Amino acid sequence: MTRPDLSHLSSEEKDALIVALLDRVAALEAKLGGPPKTPNNSSVPPSRGQKGNRPPRPKKPRRKRDGPGVTRVLAADPDHSVDCHARTCAHCRTALGTEGQHLRHAYDHIDLPPIRPVVTRVRIFGRRCPGCRRRVRGAAPATMPPGSPFGPSVVTMLAYLHHHHAVGYDRLSGLMAELFGLSISEGAIANALRRSGWALERAGAAIVERLRSATVIGCDETGARLTTDTLGTRMGWEWVLVSDTAVLHRIRTSRGRDVVTDVLEGHRPRCWISDRWGAQQGHAETHQVCLAHVLRDVQYAVDAGEPCFAPSLRRLLCWAIAVGRRRKTLKDTTLAQYRATADRRLDRLLAMPTATAAGAELQQQTKRWRAQFFTFMTDRDVPPTNNAAERALRPSVIFRKVTNGFRSIWGADIHALIRSVIGTGRLNGFSAHQAIARSLTGQNILAA
């Protein structure tokens, strides 16, 4: 704050300045006396929360098992079997034959063989045609084209370890050499991942088409650190759109609604699930606001000392969520009655006076967003929270913290494609490694 020259101020101007400063001090003291923003009562990320020191927990005596222990299930088709027969009697040393001996015990011994790359030397021959005297040469196999020496299984492993397990290029190069006996430089890893984008774009296009026919979509966004030669270091945004069978990630430099409109291209689903960010509004016929975010704001008002409105609103929202868990066993008419009951209870709460500034702000926000609180109660396909989209973004947040972001735009695009493939594959019964492998080889990961 710039310090004014008091010598040129009149008495009335000095009095006004003193009153303004006193009001400023009072506002800052009130803010200082409020409860701190934590992950439990606000949208502060969990990484910024602080856990209090707790005394060590007393060790409980080990409870004895009531029944017999459970051992590992034997493999259905073991690769080898070793039969161990008794040779002599341990008591009288009588020689024993194999006949008449019965199986007493069986267990599996599991080990990994040495893993080494399979190198296929492709040799292309040619000669001059005896008819036209032109040079001819053999054609390379379609599955082993010239250029990069690394096949789909190697690229799948690189993408799986880097983008799913956040293994950096340096560690990944050492891991491939030590575990698989494959010498590969960091530059070769980057080039292999960049070339994989051509195959992954086909899977990404199929995911986009599936989303454009979805009736319920959840959406969320998180920060993505971009450091490039042209843009410098700046904050990008990773968007995710989730339906019941598809997950789509997009990393853009914008946090505006144009990111969503570019993906949907005019498609309007029946319901949109998101937080209260302005760019998330107006994309569907109906909207369900994430009640987990609302409950955190309610908790902050409770921590700030709001005695009536905030606790009552928390009870109402928790009751509505409990009704939502029972939707499969309830009739449509019953759900409509519950929805009407929730609206009437909310009307009574909004007429209740508040005692704190945090309570008044919460009440104002509730009046603004109340129409989007209980959509899930009558729409069985809509969840009350946006947890599916937040879970889809969590691996990318971990990747950002481990790797410190992206060094190129194409790297961010490849990460978004691979996260889309992994998330969609999981919804359709494929593991992360299977989904990447199928996408790189042109196979479908979407259920029919």
Side-chain angles (χ1 to χ4, degrees):
M1 179 178 179
T2 303
R3 187 170 183 173
D5 186 3
L6 302 180
S7 62
H8 299 289
L9 299 179
S10 63
S11 298
E12 292 78 7
E13 291 173 338
K14 291 180 180 180
D15 292 341
L17 178 59
I18 292 173
V19 172
L21 291 177
L22 289 176
D23 293 340
R24 176 63 175 167
V25 170
L28 292 175
E29 288 179 347
K31 185 176 181 180
L32 185 63
K37 293 280 189 176
T38 68
N40 296 326
N41 60 18
S42 67
S43 297
V44 173
S47 60
R48 293 177 56 186
Q50 295 182 356
K51 296 182 179 179
N53 295 328
R54 296 183 300 179
R57 292 180 296 180
K59 292 185 178 181
K60 297 181 180 180
R62 186 173 181 180
R63 183 176 64 87
K64 293 184 178 180
R65 191 185 301 273
D66 297 332
V70 179
T71 59
R72 183 183 179 89
V73 178
L74 296 179
D77 50 348
D79 299 293
H80 307 283
S81 294
V82 177
D83 296 332
C84 303
H85 295 90
R87 302 298 182 185
T88 58
C89 177
H91 305 284
C92 64
R93 303 297 179 183
T94 303
L96 301 175
T98 59
E99 296 181 359
Q101 296 193 27
H102 305 283
L103 180 64
R104 301 297 186 185
H105 179 60
Y107 61 91
D108 286 346
H109 176 77
I110 303 174
D111 205 352
L112 289 175
I115 303 176
R116 291 293 180 267
V118 177
V119 180
T120 302
R121 178 69 52 80
V122 179
R123 300 189 298 174
I124 299 177
F125 294 89
R127 57 163 296 178
R128 285 189 180 274
C129 175
C132 64
R133 304 302 298 170
R134 294 182 179 179
R135 294 183 181 273
V136 294
R137 57 187 302 177
T143 57
M144 301 179 187
S148 174
F150 306 113
S153 63
V154 176
V155 180
T156 299
M157 183 63 67
L158 294 175
Y160 173 74
L161 293 176
H162 180 63
H163 291 283
H164 188 58
H165 291 285
V167 181
Y169 284 0
D170 182 28
R171 294 173 53 217
L172 184 55
S173 177
L175 186 147
M176 297 297 289
E178 295 174 8
L179 292 186
F180 304 111
L182 177 60
S183 177
I184 180 171
S185 65
E186 297 179 35
I189 294 174
N191 291 334
L193 293 178
R194 187 171 188 174
R195 282 190 296 269
S196 68
W198 302 333
L200 293 171
E201 285 176 357
R202 294 194 296 267
I207 294 173
V208 170
E209 291 301 320
R210 179 61 61 89
L211 277 174
R212 289 174 181 168
S213 62
T215 57
V216 178
I217 296 179
C219 185
D220 200 2
E221 76 285 335
T222 189
R225 183 183 177 92
L226 298 173
T227 303
T228 63
D229 295 335
T230 56
L231 299 177
T233 300
R234 62 177 299 175
M235 179 61 73
W237 298 96
E238 180 169 353
W239 292 75
V240 64
L241 285 79
V242 180
S243 70
D244 56 345
T245 58
V247 177
L248 179 68
H249 291 252
R250 285 287 186 267
I251 297 180
R252 297 292 184 266
T253 56
S254 170
R255 202 185 179 190
R257 58 185 297 112
D258 57 319
V259 178
V260 177
T261 55
D262 289 344
V263 172
L264 296 182
E265 284 192 351
H267 170 63
R268 288 183 62 84
R270 186 177 73 246
C271 184
W272 192 266
I273 312 159
S274 69
D275 53 22
R276 289 162 288 178
W277 177 244
Q280 297 280 9
Q281 310 305 313
H283 298 295
E285 299 173 3
T286 59
H287 193 281
Q288 172 62 52
V289 71
C290 178
L291 293 187
H293 289 73
V294 178
L295 284 171
R296 287 199 291 266
D297 294 341
V298 172
Q299 184 61 47
Y300 179 79
V302 172
D303 296 341
E306 177 61 34
C308 298
F309 175 70
S312 300
L313 180 59
R314 180 171 57 185
R315 286 192 294 269
L316 172 60
L317 296 180
C318 291
W319 171 81
I321 293 174
V323 171
R325 297 194 184 103
R326 299 165 46 210
R327 288 179 297 183
K328 293 183 179 180
T329 61
L330 300 177
K331 297 180 180 179
D332 292 341
T333 54
T334 304
L335 291 177
Q337 292 175 359
Y338 276 130
R339 170 72 183 270
T341 301
D343 288 331
R344 288 194 299 268
R345 290 178 59 181
L346 187 57
D347 288 335
R348 291 194 294 268
L349 289 180
L350 293 176
M352 181 184 300
T354 58
T356 63
E361 183 179 358
L362 176 64
Q363 191 176 65
Q364 182 181 3
Q365 292 294 324
T366 303
K367 290 179 180 178
R368 179 182 178 185
W369 299 101
R370 60 163 300 170
Q372 302 177 5
F373 273 14
F374 305 122
T375 305
F376 73 98
M377 296 188 71
T378 52
D379 194 332
R380 300 176 186 271
D381 298 328
V382 177
T385 67
N386 199 24
N387 187 252
E390 293 180 347
R391 288 202 315 268
L393 284 177
R394 191 168 298 129
S396 295
V397 174
I398 297 173
F399 181 88
R400 182 188 69 208
K401 293 181 180 298
V402 172
T403 63
N404 201 27
F406 304 99
R407 303 295 186 271
S408 61
I409 297 298
W410 70 261
D413 293 338
I414 293 297
H415 179 78
L417 285 171
I418 291 178
R419 291 309 322 171
S420 302
V421 166
I422 292 175
T424 303
R426 181 177 290 110
L427 293 179
N428 292 273
F430 299 108
S431 66
H433 188 272
Q434 290 173 335
I436 297 173
R438 291 178 66 90
S439 298
L440 290 178
T441 55
Q443 302 181 62
N444 188 21
I445 58 172
L446 290 163

